[in-house]
Amino acid sequence: MSMQKQLAGRSLLTLTDLTDGEFLYLLDLADELKRKKHAGERGACLDRKHIALIFEKMSTRTRCACAVAASDEGGATEYLTSLDIHLGKKESVKDTARVLGRMFNGIMFRGFKQETVDALSQHSGVPVWNGLTDIHHPTQGLADLMTIRESFGRLRGLKVVYVGDGRNNVATTLMLACAKVGIHFVNCTPEALMPEGKMVSWCKERAQLNGGSVSIDTDPVTAVVGANVIYTDVWVSMGEEDKQAERIALLSPYQITMEMMKRTGNLDKKEVIFLHCLPAFHDTETEVTKESGALEVTDEVFEAPFSRVFDEAENRMHTIKALFVSAIGQQK
Ligand code: CP
Ligand code: NVA
């Protein structure tokens, strides 16, 4: 069966839903769609396709990526927050799923519980994509690996070190993504923020099959040596704002600094990049950081030439478009 047929009608709830081959195919498709967009070619793969965007949490990138991706290929989106629809309040998730499935061709969900996105997928009868839950962020993982491959021209054999809150949605997803493509992945995090054991075992096994590896390291001094990618995310994710003080105390030694970037040994050789899913606390221009100053990354690193965070943000759009086109698009 061709990949196009294999992915038609498919949901993406976590990266474990994709075979390694399907994951790489989506990266190739995203590259092609990016080339097409930059060449100014307009597409019609999503002509008359309607996509519901259910967002329980805030978003800049994911929401806008969905809207632009759909529109570029002739489709349309409807943005629905918890204030707009009955989901889980006056109506069960199951009933809302069945209603939306009668009107829309696909649903992007961002919210708290993984169970909600699972239920939408189970009952809507249309493809459902996870635009971030408390434990997974699969569309981010696609954009991250697309950006790494663009920067180095390859994935296999690279060393990616995630430094920070090691059990959050982005860290877990990056670990899954790296395991699929033969990357050597290190999750550098304190004992208190270790990723779930079962997930780590799954990733270790998968990485080994692909010629890569997955390990956990609590020491930010040694873990980054030899890294080609230093990746971090906020220390406090959406929904856990009450943990701010505790996380700052725990994670301050894990801040990404120029000193840490030098310790990779790859900075002078231009063989290391910095990535962050964004939004990032790198300056004092936000409500959170005007008192505290930069948190997970210094402004110097964030603004450095080796920082690829805005390519990464743009790639959210190309990879989400690839997902839409592969699942509900008409043949090109
Ligand atoms: N990286 C990401 O998901 O960004 P948003 O929260 O702005 O969608
Ligand atoms: N871990 C972050 C990612 C934001 C894109 C959060 O869940 O808030």
Side-chain angles (χ1 to χ4, degrees):
M1 205 197 308
S2 72
M3 271 300 176
Q4 211 157 12
K5 282 210 178 109
Q6 203 168 309
L7 288 168
R10 291 268 295 276
S11 291
L12 180 66
L13 308 178
T14 97
L15 284 185
T16 54
D17 293 343
L18 296 172
T19 65
D20 303 346
E22 288 167 352
F23 182 81
L24 286 166
Y25 170 82
L26 286 168
L27 296 190
D28 291 343
L29 181 58
D31 282 348
E32 165 57 16
L33 291 165
K34 183 171 186 175
R35 185 209 57 75
K36 186 172 158 188
K37 169 130 178 146
H38 285 197
E41 295 168 29
R42 213 184 148 72
C45 292
L46 299 171
D47 185 30
R48 280 169 290 138
K49 301 291 181 189
H50 295 271
I51 299 168
L53 310 178
I54 306 179
F55 277 54
E56 294 178 338
K57 291 177 177 171
M58 276 188 254
S59 167
T60 300
R61 279 142 290 270
T62 311
R63 174 189 178 174
C64 298
C66 291
V68 175
S71 159
D72 275 351
E73 290 292 334
T77 52
E78 182 70 21
Y79 180 64
L80 304 161
T81 73
S82 307
L83 297 177
D84 302 308
I85 52 170
H86 300 298
L87 185 79
K89 281 177 258 160
K90 266 180 79 180
E91 182 168 70
S92 66
V93 175
K94 182 175 175 179
D95 287 357
T96 301
R98 287 183 286 181
V99 171
L100 295 181
R102 297 291 183 105
M103 301 182 190
F104 290 91
N105 303 97
I107 300 170
M108 174 69 73
F109 172 81
R110 162 168 291 202
F112 295 89
K113 295 189 187 137
Q114 185 70 19
E115 292 76 35
T116 310
V117 77
D118 291 345
L120 286 170
S121 167
Q122 203 181 335
H123 300 292
S124 65
V126 295
V128 172
W129 305 283
N130 178 354
L132 181 149
T133 58
D134 289 344
I135 57 172
H136 289 287
H137 197 2
T139 65
Q140 181 70 51
L142 282 163
D144 294 341
L145 277 273
M146 179 183 182
T147 312
I148 295 172
R149 195 168 70 164
E150 268 179 357
S151 302
F152 294 96
R154 67 186 199 285
L155 292 170
R156 191 175 282 269
L158 293 174
K159 179 173 177 179
V160 173
V161 184
Y162 175 96
V163 186
D165 174 6
R167 33 98 278 165
N168 80 8
N169 41 19
V170 169
T172 302
T173 299
L174 187 65
M175 177 169 72
L176 281 165
C178 290
K180 285 179 170 296
V181 299
I183 280 177
H184 298 290
F185 177 77
V186 181
N187 186 333
C188 180
T189 192
E191 289 286 349
L193 297 172
M194 292 275 171
E196 200 218 337
K198 246 172 49 191
M199 190 65 76
V200 177
S201 307
W202 190 95
C203 289
K204 277 189 176 174
E205 249 173 64
R206 180 55 62 98
Q208 209 172 13
L209 289 175
N210 288 320
S213 59
V214 165
S215 60
I216 316 280
D217 194 331
T218 54
D219 185 350
V221 176
T222 52
V224 299
V225 175
N228 302 105
V229 180
I230 298 290
Y231 195 118
T232 194
D233 183 12
V234 288
W235 291 342
V236 173
S237 287
M238 289 181 274
E240 44 182 37
E241 286 75 12
D242 58 325
K243 298 207 165 18
Q244 182 80 1
E246 169 192 324
R247 290 284 169 76
I248 291 178
L250 201 55
L251 287 167
S252 289
Y254 294 78
Q255 186 187 53
I256 314 298
T257 60
M258 202 51 96
E259 207 39 59
M260 183 187 279
M261 295 302 303
K262 283 182 191 149
R263 275 205 307 275
T264 64
N266 280 333
L267 200 54
D268 290 341
K269 292 184 266 173
K270 295 194 172 28
E271 281 173 13
V272 60
I273 61 170
F274 169 72
L275 293 180
H276 190 308
C277 57
L278 307 184
F281 291 131
H282 63 95
D283 56 22
T284 50
E285 314 276 314
T286 73
E287 277 175 25
V288 174
T289 52
K290 59 177 183 263
E291 302 293 323
S292 66
L295 294 176
E296 71 274 9
V297 56
T298 63
D299 202 42
E300 192 184 14
V301 169
F302 187 89
E303 298 293 353
F306 55 77
S307 169
R308 297 288 156 79
V309 295
F310 294 107
D311 293 330
E312 186 184 7
E314 178 189 328
N315 288 341
R316 297 297 311 286
M317 202 273 290
H318 305 298
T319 42
I320 281 176
K321 194 188 285 179
L323 270 181
F324 290 170
V325 167
S326 67
I328 61 170
Q330 288 110 352
Q331 301 283 329
K332 280 182 284 173

